[in-house]
Amino acid sequence: MTDTAISSYTSFNGYKRIASGSLPVNALAVKHALASDVPSPLLTFCDQTGQVVEIDIRGTDAEMLARLPPEGHQLQNSESALINSGESDEPRGRGRPKLGVVAREVTLLPRHWDWLATQPGGASVTLRKLVDEARRASVDRDRQRQMNECAYHFMSAMAGDMAGFEEASRALFANDVQNFRQQTEAWPADVRDYVRCLAFPLPPTEVPSLAP
């Protein structure tokens, strides 16, 4: 799920889901629930990573919303402030535009370097092409792995002490949908439905709605 362009979030009051959607929607729900002196823990999860994110709810609603990162910025773990993009304020000089290329050490055997030297464009171009081809070939497997990890992050935070957690974890990473659903059936409804959507997303018409 990490390839989603715009991040979304889901908030829980204990085991009850109280908000789902943009960060402002979740921030307001958490702030208002906390103001109601609710006894249960309030947690907000990133739908793309399954990890808990912290929201700074100090001040008025407007002040809180003004501090939130812009839409499209995905919060990680306990991050609550904007991340410095690392872009320099210095004017960019003439020459080739910045392509986002990162230089790192690559260790290969002599025969690998010999083969790369014979390829059009040289070693760097050939390696980038090989990586792109490998990414395309494994896109479905990589996407499922990311969804598994996303669901596991959420499970660990919300269901780590629930019956069937270990069995559900094994079923999750084995991509055993039927057993995963069986092991999570007795979990609180909102937790169960959300983790199932993270692990094995349903068609849009079958995704559980956020009913009151």
Side-chain angles (χ1 to χ4, degrees):
M1 301 179 67
T2 55
D3 59 350
T4 302
I6 299 178
S7 298
S8 58
Y9 303 84
T10 299
S11 296
F12 285 81
N13 172 9
Y15 296 138
K16 181 176 177 57
R17 185 170 53 159
I18 61 172
S20 184
S22 68
L23 190 58
V25 167
N26 282 266
L28 288 170
V30 169
K31 182 176 176 65
H32 295 167
L34 189 61
S36 302
D37 295 324
V38 292
S40 301
L42 289 162
L43 294 175
T44 298
F45 296 87
C46 176
D47 296 338
Q48 284 67 54
T49 66
Q51 295 180 330
V52 175
V53 298
E54 297 292 338
I55 300 175
D56 184 353
I57 62 172
R58 293 174 299 171
T60 65
D61 288 356
E63 290 170 339
M64 175 190 68
L65 294 176
R67 287 194 301 267
L68 295 179
E71 187 175 22
H73 176 83
Q74 182 173 293
L75 292 177
Q76 299 291 339
N77 297 332
S78 61
E79 175 197 352
S80 59
L82 293 175
I83 293 179
N84 188 330
S85 66
E87 291 288 342
S88 172
D89 293 332
E90 296 179 2
R92 185 173 298 170
R94 293 183 178 180
R96 295 179 61 185
K98 254 177 125 175
L99 300 177
V101 176
V102 178
R104 292 182 181 173
E105 181 179 353
V106 175
T107 303
L108 300 175
L109 295 174
R111 65 176 182 273
H112 298 147
W113 288 116
D114 291 343
W115 180 80
L116 286 170
T118 66
Q119 302 306 304
S124 295
V125 171
T126 303
L127 286 173
R128 287 198 289 270
K129 289 181 179 178
L130 290 173
V131 170
D132 285 339
E133 290 174 2
R135 289 180 60 194
R136 286 191 292 269
S138 63
V139 62
D140 291 337
R141 182 175 64 253
D142 290 344
R143 182 179 293 113
Q144 185 59 58
R145 176 181 53 78
Q146 292 169 353
M147 290 188 297
N148 290 349
E149 293 175 353
C150 178
Y152 186 74
H153 287 312
F154 172 76
M155 287 169 56
S156 298
M158 292 290 286
D161 59 350
M162 291 184 186
F165 173 80
E166 296 296 337
E167 293 81 0
S169 298
R170 285 192 285 269
L172 172 68
F173 288 105
N175 293 323
D176 186 342
V177 181
Q178 182 176 356
N179 191 29
F180 182 78
R181 294 180 67 85
Q182 179 180 346
Q183 297 299 332
T184 58
E185 183 62 33
W187 292 4
D190 286 350
V191 173
R192 176 197 65 208
D193 293 343
Y194 182 63
V195 75
R196 286 176 176 179
C197 287
L198 292 180
F200 307 106
L202 299 172
T205 56
E206 299 182 34
V207 174
S209 62
L210 183 57

